[in-house]
Every structure is written in C-alpha cells, then in structure tokens.
Amino acid sequence: KQEVTQIPAALSVPEGENLVLNCSFTDSAIYNLQWFRQDPGKGLTSLLLIQSSQREQTSGRLNASLDKSSGRSTLYIAASQPGDSATYLCAVNPGNTPLVFGKGTRLSVIA
Amino acid sequence: DAGVTQSPTHLIKTRGQHVTLRCSPISGHKSVSWYQQVLGQGPQFIFQYYEKEERGRGNFPDRFSARQFPNYSSELNVNALLLGDSALYLCASSLRDSIGELFFGEGSRLTVL
C-alpha cells in the first residue's frame, strides 16, 4: 500500500530565505507526482506536476525534483515571501488507483 | 476559463440528515473525483467517475454515493450524517481517466452538529 510522508509537518522561516520541503513515498511504481498549495479552509491549487520519466519541473520561484528510485521528491522555494505562507501537499499517482496524499507541510514566512 | 466549481461552499446539518454536494468540472474534462479532507490531514479518496461510469471507490460506507451527469457535472450524496462526516469535501477534474493532472475546486465545508 502506497504511503506518502511529508517532513517537516510545520516550518517557519524569515522572508527571503530559500527553503526545501520534503516528500517521500513507499512504492516507486508511480505514474506522476503533483505538488499542491492549500490556503486555510480553501481548495488545492496545483503547483507542479512531475511525470515519472522526469527529474524536475520549474515554475517561477518553485522547483520540484523527483527521485523515483529512492521514493523522494523535494519542493524548493527560492526567496520566500509572506504570501507563500500556506500548507503544501504532495500527492503521488500510482496510475491505476487514485492520488495518495501526504498530510502536508504548513509553511509560515515571517516578514 | 472557469475552473472547477463547487456548491454550496458552506453548510451546516444535524445528525441523521442528508446532504447533496455539487461539482462542475473544467470545460472539456470528463473525469471527476471526490475527496474528503478532515482538519490536519491530507485528502482521502471517495469516488472517481469517468465518462459517467464509476471508476473507483474509496474506503467509505454505503451512506456515501455519487453520480456523474451527461454534462460531466457530478453530485456527492451522504445519508444519515454523523458527526465524523464534518470535513471539507473537494472535487477534482481531469482530462483523462486516472493518470491526468488533477485540478481541484474550492471545496464544500460541511459541519454536522
């Protein structure tokens, strides 16, 4: 059974700092991996999708990497801003079953 | 283009009542999935529909049911509500069946008293 773990559960950083969020999964047989952002009480916003054949994807200040063989993905946020404060969720897609989510990392960027 | 839209955004029910949540996918998307998210947890899969057929069901009791209409919109129904059903219910749509990128709506916040 696929399990997704996100570490740390919460993170607080000063504005301007670069940071890394971690996601690990137990079964490397995945089709793709998706990173989402969730503001309190709101829905999920898709940030980046990495196909299993890819190593990384970039969008603006965000860079996500995927190491399928070791069951790990990281989300790198450059030059963090207070507006980046949110919960970040990682989800793996096994391909023939629904997305499996981690519990998320709650990020606070302090001005 | 409109994203995934859900209604209602918030609702309060009492134990034993029934609730219907609605979802309209992104135009052109034929797959709709439903997820339940309780506070502090990641979303848990409830149902997936593709081309109006049920393609997957999560580990939820039979009180939960869903359907997809010819225009690809969807309803999630929950009968005999329990306090534990209080959660954010999220709908997601995708172009393809089980392997496409998912786009989520803002969710329906259900409180059961």
Side-chain angles (χ1 to χ4, degrees), chain B residues 61-83:
Chain B
D62 292 343
R63 299 184 296 105
F64 288 76
S65 64
R67 54 179 175 169
Q68 186 176 34
F69 299 100
N71 66 353
Y72 302 107
S73 67
S74 178
E75 281 183 356
L76 175 69
N77 295 281
V78 187
N79 294 322
L81 286 168
L82 303 174
L83 296 179

Side-chain angles (χ1 to χ4, degrees), chain A residues 31-32 34 36 38 41-44 46 49 89 93 95-99 101-103, chain B residues 35 37 40-43 45 88 90 96 98-107 109:
Chain A
Y31 191 83
N32 59 47
Q34 210 167 339
F36 294 91
Q38 186 174 33
K42 300 293 186 180
L44 277 60
S46 180
L49 173 73
L89 291 155
N93 186 340
N96 58 356
T97 55
L99 290 187
F101 282 85
K103 293 183 178 181
Chain B
Y35 287 79
Q37 187 181 27
Q41 301 293 316
F45 171 73
L88 181 67
L90 295 162
R96 299 158 72 181
S98 58
I99 57 176
E101 182 175 4
L102 261 66
F103 297 89
F104 282 80
E106 288 296 316
R109 169 70 64 185

Side-chain angles (χ1 to χ4, degrees), chain B residues 12 24 31 33 49 104 108:
Chain B
I12 299 174
S24 293
S31 176
S33 301
Y49 280 79
F104 282 80
S108 294

